[in-house]
Amino acid sequence: MRLISFLMKNSFLGKQVDFYSRFSPSPLSMKQFLDFGSENACERTSFVFLRQELPVRLANIMKEINLLPDNLLKTPSVQLVQSWYLQSLKEILDFKDQSAENEKVIYDFTDAVIKIRNRHNDVIPTMAQGVVEYKECYGTDPVSSQNVQYFLDRFYMSRISIRMLLNQHTLLFGGKVKVNPAHPKQIGSIDPSCNVVEVIKDAYENASRLCDLYYMSSPELKIEEFNAKEREKPTTVVYVPSHLYHMVFELFKNAMRATMEFNGDALTHPAIKVSVALGNEDLTVKISDRGGGVPLRKIDRLFTYTYSTAPRPCMETSRATPLAGFGYGLPISRLYARYFQGDLQLYSLEGYGTDAVMYIKALSTESIERLPVYNKSAWRHYKTSHEADDWCVPSKEPKDMTTFRSF
């Protein structure tokens, strides 16, 4: 019997996972994050909320981890991730009955939150390594691939949400300096007036340097800005700059690589065009390249974990950040967009280029966390066998009409 499964079923921690997984996580809006951090930031209030909410979020996703295929659960990487989550749950539960009026308790809790955040730094690559180990040893079938894709979307979304809570508490209460000198207007990790174009330019500059390193050149950037709410003013939105940067940086890397490789040894390369539009409900960012596009049949694959059109880089021999190759950039970026009720979509013109369109809620009251919940619907997704397609699938080979029989 697997050690982790044994601990989950027979230990105190296993019972606590069962208990807390019965509760649904409490999604917060961007406005709630902002109001708490700016108006009535109280470390005791944060302590009381997190010691209840973090076990719920951890337990919900831990129940789903245990529904993965047995051979995937046996991989060392997945077992390591499970051990991190169990340890983090234990450390939070140690404060379950502690008094919120005790200053040492509050201090120790903040210290524990920092330790948990640091422990979970490598969750994404470690889980990814587990999936690679599983595929290399056992191969894949359509059912298990679909279940793993479903799980990873939910697992990584849960990880984003947990890290958001940990970061907010740490940045607001974890240091002697309450205001970050580099970003004095930010409330924790949230910027109440995030300048979208500035973040885009920053991401472009870093992606451009990376492109120069690999191709000795890079496409130029052209930006158009349309602020329908306040014309002639910079486009700003309440958002997490690091999330926006992550998404745009990944899209720029893909656009630059496609542009450089599609246009070969040309002396000049088509510019990457970015359109930023702010309306009453949505902030929309469109990144357009002339990198040749992709066929329609491959669009969905681009959001599949471990799928990449680039060769996997060898990180042991170089510290340089790869331009592409691991296959997690687009799916993780889409999760960041969806986390606060936005989205990321790709529209491609094969033979010409690709438009990547990112949607973000313009109103902080509508930017509400999107959180996975462990319930019967989720459980059935893992246990239900997928039936055959109820649409005919066209054959790749021409039909032999001599074998056609009439009825």
mmCIF file of all heavy atoms in Angstrom, residues 241-276:
data_model
loop_
_atom_site.group_PDB
_atom_site.id
_atom_site.type_symbol
_atom_site.label_atom_id
_atom_site.label_comp_id
_atom_site.label_asym_id
_atom_site.label_seq_id
_atom_site.Cartn_x
_atom_site.Cartn_y
_atom_site.Cartn_z
ATOM 1 N N PRO A 241 -0.029 42.597 -10.834
ATOM 2 C CA PRO A 241 0.920 42.811 -11.939
ATOM 3 C C PRO A 241 1.724 41.567 -12.302
ATOM 4 O O PRO A 241 1.997 41.324 -13.479
ATOM 5 C CB PRO A 241 1.833 43.922 -11.405
ATOM 6 C CG PRO A 241 1.012 44.636 -10.396
ATOM 7 C CD PRO A 241 0.143 43.589 -9.757
ATOM 8 N N SER A 242 2.086 40.770 -11.303
ATOM 9 C CA SER A 242 2.888 39.574 -11.590
ATOM 10 C C SER A 242 2.101 38.574 -12.426
ATOM 11 O O SER A 242 2.669 37.864 -13.265
ATOM 12 C CB SER A 242 3.375 38.923 -10.288
ATOM 13 O OG SER A 242 2.282 38.523 -9.482
ATOM 14 N N HIS A 243 0.783 38.475 -12.207
ATOM 15 C CA HIS A 243 -0.054 37.585 -13.016
ATOM 16 C C HIS A 243 -0.115 38.083 -14.459
ATOM 17 O O HIS A 243 0.026 37.302 -15.406
ATOM 18 C CB HIS A 243 -1.469 37.506 -12.444
ATOM 19 C CG HIS A 243 -1.553 36.780 -11.145
ATOM 20 N ND1 HIS A 243 -2.759 36.457 -10.544
ATOM 21 C CD2 HIS A 243 -0.594 36.305 -10.311
ATOM 22 C CE1 HIS A 243 -2.526 35.819 -9.407
ATOM 23 N NE2 HIS A 243 -1.217 35.723 -9.253
ATOM 24 N N LEU A 244 -0.351 39.379 -14.622
ATOM 25 C CA LEU A 244 -0.418 39.969 -15.956
ATOM 26 C C LEU A 244 0.916 39.793 -16.675
ATOM 27 O O LEU A 244 0.952 39.417 -17.864
ATOM 28 C CB LEU A 244 -0.786 41.448 -15.861
ATOM 29 C CG LEU A 244 -0.851 42.232 -17.177
ATOM 30 C CD1 LEU A 244 -1.876 41.633 -18.125
ATOM 31 C CD2 LEU A 244 -1.169 43.709 -16.898
ATOM 32 N N TYR A 245 1.993 40.045 -15.966
ATOM 33 C CA TYR A 245 3.324 39.902 -16.558
ATOM 34 C C TYR A 245 3.556 38.467 -17.024
ATOM 35 O O TYR A 245 4.041 38.231 -18.139
ATOM 36 C CB TYR A 245 4.400 40.298 -15.547
ATOM 37 C CG TYR A 245 5.810 40.065 -16.043
ATOM 38 C CD1 TYR A 245 6.491 41.053 -16.738
ATOM 39 C CD2 TYR A 245 6.447 38.838 -15.833
ATOM 40 C CE1 TYR A 245 7.785 40.831 -17.214
ATOM 41 C CE2 TYR A 245 7.724 38.604 -16.307
ATOM 42 C CZ TYR A 245 8.385 39.604 -16.990
ATOM 43 O OH TYR A 245 9.651 39.367 -17.472
ATOM 44 N N HIS A 246 3.210 37.509 -16.179
ATOM 45 C CA HIS A 246 3.418 36.097 -16.521
ATOM 46 C C HIS A 246 2.703 35.743 -17.825
ATOM 47 O O HIS A 246 3.291 35.116 -18.719
ATOM 48 C CB HIS A 246 2.901 35.199 -15.388
ATOM 49 C CG HIS A 246 3.051 33.731 -15.674
ATOM 50 N ND1 HIS A 246 4.085 32.977 -15.176
ATOM 51 C CD2 HIS A 246 2.298 32.874 -16.414
ATOM 52 C CE1 HIS A 246 3.972 31.735 -15.599
ATOM 53 N NE2 HIS A 246 2.890 31.640 -16.348
ATOM 54 N N MET A 247 1.446 36.153 -17.948
ATOM 55 C CA MET A 247 0.672 35.827 -19.145
ATOM 56 C C MET A 247 1.266 36.471 -20.391
ATOM 57 O O MET A 247 1.478 35.811 -21.416
ATOM 58 C CB MET A 247 -0.785 36.277 -18.961
ATOM 59 C CG MET A 247 -1.545 35.514 -17.891
ATOM 60 S SD MET A 247 -3.275 36.022 -17.780
ATOM 61 C CE MET A 247 -3.140 37.547 -16.843
ATOM 62 N N VAL A 248 1.540 37.773 -20.308
ATOM 63 C CA VAL A 248 2.029 38.501 -21.478
ATOM 64 C C VAL A 248 3.421 38.015 -21.871
ATOM 65 O O VAL A 248 3.729 37.864 -23.060
ATOM 66 C CB VAL A 248 2.033 40.017 -21.204
ATOM 67 C CG1 VAL A 248 2.604 40.779 -22.382
ATOM 68 C CG2 VAL A 248 0.616 40.505 -20.906
ATOM 69 N N PHE A 249 4.271 37.754 -20.900
ATOM 70 C CA PHE A 249 5.623 37.263 -21.177
ATOM 71 C C PHE A 249 5.573 35.940 -21.945
ATOM 72 O O PHE A 249 6.309 35.741 -22.921
ATOM 73 C CB PHE A 249 6.385 37.094 -19.860
ATOM 74 C CG PHE A 249 7.796 36.587 -20.019
ATOM 75 C CD1 PHE A 249 8.767 37.362 -20.625
ATOM 76 C CD2 PHE A 249 8.152 35.325 -19.550
ATOM 77 C CE1 PHE A 249 10.075 36.905 -20.768
ATOM 78 C CE2 PHE A 249 9.450 34.855 -19.686
ATOM 79 C CZ PHE A 249 10.409 35.644 -20.297
ATOM 80 N N GLU A 250 4.712 35.019 -21.513
ATOM 81 C CA GLU A 250 4.579 33.731 -22.207
ATOM 82 C C GLU A 250 4.080 33.928 -23.632
ATOM 83 O O GLU A 250 4.557 33.274 -24.565
ATOM 84 C CB GLU A 250 3.633 32.808 -21.435
ATOM 85 C CG GLU A 250 4.190 32.269 -20.131
ATOM 86 C CD GLU A 250 5.395 31.362 -20.334
ATOM 87 O OE1 GLU A 250 5.519 30.771 -21.433
ATOM 88 O OE2 GLU A 250 6.218 31.255 -19.412
ATOM 89 N N LEU A 251 3.109 34.815 -23.815
ATOM 90 C CA LEU A 251 2.576 35.063 -25.157
ATOM 91 C C LEU A 251 3.630 35.702 -26.058
ATOM 92 O O LEU A 251 3.724 35.381 -27.248
ATOM 93 C CB LEU A 251 1.328 35.943 -25.069
ATOM 94 C CG LEU A 251 0.121 35.306 -24.359
ATOM 95 C CD1 LEU A 251 -1.009 36.308 -24.224
ATOM 96 C CD2 LEU A 251 -0.357 34.073 -25.106
ATOM 97 N N PHE A 252 4.422 36.616 -25.507
ATOM 98 C CA PHE A 252 5.492 37.228 -26.291
ATOM 99 C C PHE A 252 6.538 36.189 -26.696
ATOM 100 O O PHE A 252 7.032 36.193 -27.834
ATOM 101 C CB PHE A 252 6.165 38.361 -25.510
ATOM 102 C CG PHE A 252 5.479 39.686 -25.637
ATOM 103 C CD1 PHE A 252 5.281 40.500 -24.528
ATOM 104 C CD2 PHE A 252 5.043 40.141 -26.874
ATOM 105 C CE1 PHE A 252 4.647 41.731 -24.646
ATOM 106 C CE2 PHE A 252 4.412 41.373 -26.995
ATOM 107 C CZ PHE A 252 4.216 42.163 -25.882
ATOM 108 N N LYS A 253 6.907 35.299 -25.783
ATOM 109 C CA LYS A 253 7.882 34.260 -26.118
ATOM 110 C C LYS A 253 7.399 33.416 -27.295
ATOM 111 O O LYS A 253 8.155 33.149 -28.239
ATOM 112 C CB LYS A 253 8.141 33.355 -24.905
ATOM 113 C CG LYS A 253 9.009 33.972 -23.835
ATOM 114 C CD LYS A 253 9.597 32.906 -22.911
ATOM 115 C CE LYS A 253 8.518 32.068 -22.249
ATOM 116 N NZ LYS A 253 9.096 31.038 -21.363
ATOM 117 N N ASN A 254 6.131 33.004 -27.239
ATOM 118 C CA ASN A 254 5.570 32.190 -28.330
ATOM 119 C C ASN A 254 5.535 32.970 -29.635
ATOM 120 O O ASN A 254 5.885 32.447 -30.705
ATOM 121 C CB ASN A 254 4.159 31.719 -27.969
ATOM 122 C CG ASN A 254 4.155 30.687 -26.864
ATOM 123 O OD1 ASN A 254 5.168 30.067 -26.576
ATOM 124 N ND2 ASN A 254 3.015 30.498 -26.233
ATOM 125 N N ALA A 255 5.096 34.228 -29.557
ATOM 126 C CA ALA A 255 4.980 35.048 -30.763
ATOM 127 C C ALA A 255 6.344 35.313 -31.392
ATOM 128 O O ALA A 255 6.502 35.262 -32.617
ATOM 129 C CB ALA A 255 4.280 36.366 -30.423
ATOM 130 N N MET A 256 7.337 35.580 -30.546
ATOM 131 C CA MET A 256 8.678 35.862 -31.065
ATOM 132 C C MET A 256 9.302 34.630 -31.711
ATOM 133 O O MET A 256 9.886 34.711 -32.801
ATOM 134 C CB MET A 256 9.576 36.384 -29.936
ATOM 135 C CG MET A 256 9.228 37.782 -29.489
ATOM 136 S SD MET A 256 10.303 38.344 -28.145
ATOM 137 C CE MET A 256 9.588 39.954 -27.809
ATOM 138 N N ARG A 257 9.185 33.508 -31.062
ATOM 139 C CA ARG A 257 9.757 32.279 -31.626
ATOM 140 C C ARG A 257 9.104 31.954 -32.966
ATOM 141 O O ARG A 257 9.783 31.622 -33.949
ATOM 142 C CB ARG A 257 9.579 31.119 -30.651
ATOM 143 C CG ARG A 257 10.002 29.781 -31.253
ATOM 144 C CD ARG A 257 9.918 28.652 -30.243
ATOM 145 N NE ARG A 257 10.087 27.389 -30.941
ATOM 146 C CZ ARG A 257 9.096 26.588 -31.287
ATOM 147 N NH1 ARG A 257 7.850 26.912 -30.985
ATOM 148 N NH2 ARG A 257 9.320 25.463 -31.923
ATOM 149 N N ALA A 258 7.775 32.046 -33.027
ATOM 150 C CA ALA A 258 7.073 31.746 -34.272
ATOM 151 C C ALA A 258 7.482 32.716 -35.378
ATOM 152 O O ALA A 258 7.722 32.312 -36.522
ATOM 153 C CB ALA A 258 5.560 31.811 -34.041
ATOM 154 N N THR A 259 7.578 33.999 -35.044
ATOM 155 C CA THR A 259 7.941 35.012 -36.038
ATOM 156 C C THR A 259 9.353 34.788 -36.573
ATOM 157 O O THR A 259 9.591 34.853 -37.790
ATOM 158 C CB THR A 259 7.848 36.425 -35.418
ATOM 159 O OG1 THR A 259 6.506 36.660 -34.988
ATOM 160 C CG2 THR A 259 8.246 37.488 -36.418
ATOM 161 N N MET A 260 10.304 34.517 -35.685
ATOM 162 C CA MET A 260 11.688 34.336 -36.107
ATOM 163 C C MET A 260 11.847 33.084 -36.965
ATOM 164 O O MET A 260 12.553 33.098 -37.981
ATOM 165 C CB MET A 260 12.601 34.254 -34.880
ATOM 166 C CG MET A 260 12.596 35.502 -34.001
ATOM 167 S SD MET A 260 12.998 37.021 -34.879
ATOM 168 C CE MET A 260 14.693 36.706 -35.337
ATOM 169 N N GLU A 261 11.173 31.998 -36.604
ATOM 170 C CA GLU A 261 11.351 30.746 -37.332
ATOM 171 C C GLU A 261 10.563 30.728 -38.641
ATOM 172 O O GLU A 261 11.003 30.139 -39.628
ATOM 173 C CB GLU A 261 10.970 29.569 -36.435
ATOM 174 C CG GLU A 261 11.891 29.434 -35.227
ATOM 175 C CD GLU A 261 11.662 28.168 -34.421
ATOM 176 O OE1 GLU A 261 10.736 27.394 -34.777
ATOM 177 O OE2 GLU A 261 12.398 27.956 -33.437
ATOM 178 N N PHE A 262 9.406 31.379 -38.670
ATOM 179 C CA PHE A 262 8.600 31.394 -39.892
ATOM 180 C C PHE A 262 9.236 32.272 -40.962
ATOM 181 O O PHE A 262 9.159 31.982 -42.155
ATOM 182 C CB PHE A 262 7.184 31.892 -39.582
ATOM 183 C CG PHE A 262 6.264 31.899 -40.773
ATOM 184 C CD1 PHE A 262 5.810 30.706 -41.326
ATOM 185 C CD2 PHE A 262 5.848 33.098 -41.339
ATOM 186 C CE1 PHE A 262 4.957 30.713 -42.427
ATOM 187 C CE2 PHE A 262 4.995 33.109 -42.435
ATOM 188 C CZ PHE A 262 4.550 31.915 -42.977
ATOM 189 N N ASN A 263 9.875 33.350 -40.543
ATOM 190 C CA ASN A 263 10.456 34.289 -41.505
ATOM 191 C C ASN A 263 11.923 34.027 -41.804
ATOM 192 O O ASN A 263 12.567 34.777 -42.524
ATOM 193 C CB ASN A 263 10.269 35.725 -40.995
ATOM 194 C CG ASN A 263 8.814 36.147 -41.008
ATOM 195 O OD1 ASN A 263 8.280 36.556 -42.026
ATOM 196 N ND2 ASN A 263 8.147 36.035 -39.856
ATOM 197 N N GLY A 264 12.455 32.961 -41.208
ATOM 198 C CA GLY A 264 13.793 32.498 -41.561
ATOM 199 C C GLY A 264 14.878 33.534 -41.387
ATOM 200 O O GLY A 264 14.959 34.233 -40.369
ATOM 201 N N ASP A 265 15.721 33.654 -42.408
ATOM 202 C CA ASP A 265 16.899 34.525 -42.342
ATOM 203 C C ASP A 265 16.636 35.921 -42.887
ATOM 204 O O ASP A 265 17.573 36.616 -43.317
ATOM 205 C CB ASP A 265 18.052 33.894 -43.119
ATOM 206 C CG ASP A 265 18.496 32.571 -42.512
ATOM 207 O OD1 ASP A 265 18.416 32.451 -41.276
ATOM 208 O OD2 ASP A 265 18.901 31.674 -43.273
ATOM 209 N N ALA A 266 15.387 36.346 -42.887
ATOM 210 C CA ALA A 266 15.062 37.686 -43.384
ATOM 211 C C ALA A 266 15.791 38.745 -42.567
ATOM 212 O O ALA A 266 16.015 38.581 -41.359
ATOM 213 C CB ALA A 266 13.556 37.920 -43.312
ATOM 214 N N LEU A 267 16.186 39.834 -43.237
ATOM 215 C CA LEU A 267 16.909 40.898 -42.540
ATOM 216 C C LEU A 267 16.023 41.636 -41.551
ATOM 217 O O LEU A 267 16.468 42.110 -40.509
ATOM 218 C CB LEU A 267 17.486 41.879 -43.575
ATOM 219 C CG LEU A 267 18.563 41.300 -44.501
ATOM 220 C CD1 LEU A 267 19.011 42.359 -45.516
ATOM 221 C CD2 LEU A 267 19.757 40.796 -43.694
ATOM 222 N N THR A 268 14.730 41.748 -41.874
ATOM 223 C CA THR A 268 13.775 42.368 -40.965
ATOM 224 C C THR A 268 12.624 41.405 -40.720
ATOM 225 O O THR A 268 12.316 40.569 -41.580
ATOM 226 C CB THR A 268 13.216 43.681 -41.550
ATOM 227 O OG1 THR A 268 12.568 43.394 -42.802
ATOM 228 C CG2 THR A 268 14.335 44.697 -41.758
ATOM 229 N N HIS A 269 12.028 41.508 -39.575
ATOM 230 C CA HIS A 269 10.928 40.616 -39.208
ATOM 231 C C HIS A 269 9.686 41.433 -38.887
ATOM 232 O O HIS A 269 9.797 42.535 -38.335
ATOM 233 C CB HIS A 269 11.324 39.763 -38.002
ATOM 234 C CG HIS A 269 12.505 38.880 -38.258
ATOM 235 N ND1 HIS A 269 13.806 39.310 -38.100
ATOM 236 C CD2 HIS A 269 12.584 37.598 -38.685
ATOM 237 C CE1 HIS A 269 14.629 38.329 -38.394
ATOM 238 N NE2 HIS A 269 13.922 37.275 -38.755
ATOM 239 N N PRO A 270 8.525 40.902 -39.217
ATOM 240 C CA PRO A 270 7.280 41.629 -38.928
ATOM 241 C C PRO A 270 7.149 41.935 -37.445
ATOM 242 O O PRO A 270 7.483 41.106 -36.590
ATOM 243 C CB PRO A 270 6.180 40.658 -39.387
ATOM 244 C CG PRO A 270 6.855 39.722 -40.333
ATOM 245 C CD PRO A 270 8.267 39.606 -39.866
ATOM 246 N N ALA A 271 6.665 43.125 -37.143
ATOM 247 C CA ALA A 271 6.518 43.528 -35.738
ATOM 248 C C ALA A 271 5.382 42.755 -35.073
ATOM 249 O O ALA A 271 4.458 42.261 -35.737
ATOM 250 C CB ALA A 271 6.241 45.030 -35.663
ATOM 251 N N ILE A 272 5.461 42.640 -33.760
ATOM 252 C CA ILE A 272 4.360 42.092 -32.972
ATOM 253 C C ILE A 272 3.471 43.264 -32.560
ATOM 254 O O ILE A 272 3.948 44.244 -31.993
ATOM 255 C CB ILE A 272 4.894 41.345 -31.727
ATOM 256 C CG1 ILE A 272 5.697 40.116 -32.155
ATOM 257 C CG2 ILE A 272 3.750 40.944 -30.802
ATOM 258 C CD1 ILE A 272 6.383 39.407 -31.017
ATOM 259 N N LYS A 273 2.193 43.157 -32.876
ATOM 260 C CA LYS A 273 1.264 44.243 -32.609
ATOM 261 C C LYS A 273 0.398 43.907 -31.388
ATOM 262 O O LYS A 273 -0.138 42.818 -31.296
ATOM 263 C CB LYS A 273 0.370 44.497 -33.818
ATOM 264 C CG LYS A 273 1.155 44.934 -35.060
ATOM 265 C CD LYS A 273 0.229 45.173 -36.246
ATOM 266 C CE LYS A 273 1.023 45.612 -37.466
ATOM 267 N NZ LYS A 273 0.134 45.815 -38.645
ATOM 268 N N VAL A 274 0.289 44.870 -30.494
ATOM 269 C CA VAL A 274 -0.514 44.688 -29.278
ATOM 270 C C VAL A 274 -1.594 45.762 -29.233
ATOM 271 O O VAL A 274 -1.301 46.957 -29.393
ATOM 272 C CB VAL A 274 0.360 44.770 -28.009
ATOM 273 C CG1 VAL A 274 -0.514 44.669 -26.755
ATOM 274 C CG2 VAL A 274 1.413 43.667 -28.015
ATOM 275 N N SER A 275 -2.814 45.319 -29.032
ATOM 276 C CA SER A 275 -3.944 46.243 -28.861
ATOM 277 C C SER A 275 -4.476 46.096 -27.444
ATOM 278 O O SER A 275 -4.753 44.985 -26.995
ATOM 279 C CB SER A 275 -5.054 45.943 -29.870
ATOM 280 O OG SER A 275 -4.581 46.063 -31.192
ATOM 281 N N VAL A 276 -4.602 47.225 -26.745
ATOM 282 C CA VAL A 276 -5.121 47.242 -25.371
ATOM 283 C C VAL A 276 -6.409 48.059 -25.366
ATOM 284 O O VAL A 276 -6.396 49.236 -25.745
ATOM 285 C CB VAL A 276 -4.101 47.855 -24.391
ATOM 286 C CG1 VAL A 276 -4.678 47.883 -22.973
ATOM 287 C CG2 VAL A 276 -2.793 47.075 -24.424
#
